[in-house]
Each structure stands twice: as C-alpha cells, then as structure tokens.
Amino acid sequence: MFFWGKKANVTAQLDEKLERIQMNFENNYKDAAQLNLKEFETLFEEFSMAGKLSEKQKDYYERRLGEFQARMQNFTHKDQKPTWV
C-alpha cells in the first residue's frame, strides 16, 4: 500500500473503512463488521502517529470510532438470542 502524502488519500481510506463498517453492521454481518472496525482502528492510529491527519480530522474520526465501538459492544454471534425463545 503506497501513500503519496496526500491527506485526501488518507481520509478516503478511512472513510471507505467507515462505509464498510456501516454496511456490514446494517446487513447484520457481525464478523465482517468487527473485522472492519479493527482495520479502521489500526489505520486511524497509524495515520495519527504519522501526522497525516489534522486535529479536526483526528477529532472527527475518534468520535466515529467511539460511536462504532459502543454500537458493537455486544455485536457478535455468540450474544445473539435465538428467535424461538
């Protein structure tokens, strides 16, 4: 994966991960949504440490990360209740 130093490319990658998380969450693809969330968190930390995000962008993506982490607290197959109970 090559980064050409463009902040637009960085935010596009983060936005794409957020879209995948949202789509998988809405379609009840629990494992994929959890995996995408971990990928987003890793990318966000990497870009933050490298100084590729402005403070405003960091605040925005931190807020989104927190929202998804809260929504997916019990979003796993093992926590799913059977419908016949």
Side-chain angles (χ1 to χ4, degrees):
M1 191 180 305
F2 293 102
F3 302 110
W4 304 108
K6 297 179 182 179
K7 288 192 178 193
N9 187 23
V10 170
T11 58
Q13 288 182 31
L14 290 172
D15 289 336
E16 186 264 335
K17 287 292 180 197
L18 286 175
E19 288 176 22
R20 283 184 184 220
I21 294 168
Q22 184 66 36
M23 285 189 308
N24 287 326
F25 185 84
E26 289 173 358
N27 290 319
N28 206 25
Y29 298 148
K30 296 175 180 180
D31 295 336
Q34 292 286 357
L35 177 64
N36 291 143
L37 181 62
K38 288 177 184 167
E39 291 171 349
F40 173 78
E41 191 172 1
T42 302
L43 268 180
F44 173 67
E45 289 176 11
E46 179 182 319
F47 293 152
S48 293
M49 295 296 177
K52 294 184 178 186
L53 297 171
S54 69
E55 286 302 315
K56 188 175 181 179
Q57 290 170 328
K58 282 183 190 178
D59 291 341
Y60 170 75
Y61 289 116
E62 280 178 350
R63 190 170 53 248
R64 294 299 309 265
L65 178 61
E67 290 170 3
F68 278 115
Q69 286 173 333
R71 287 172 68 185
M72 290 195 213
Q73 189 83 19
N74 295 320
F75 193 65
T76 62
H77 288 293
K78 69 179 183 171
D79 295 324
Q80 185 174 351
K81 306 285 188 253
T83 57
W84 59 88
V85 175

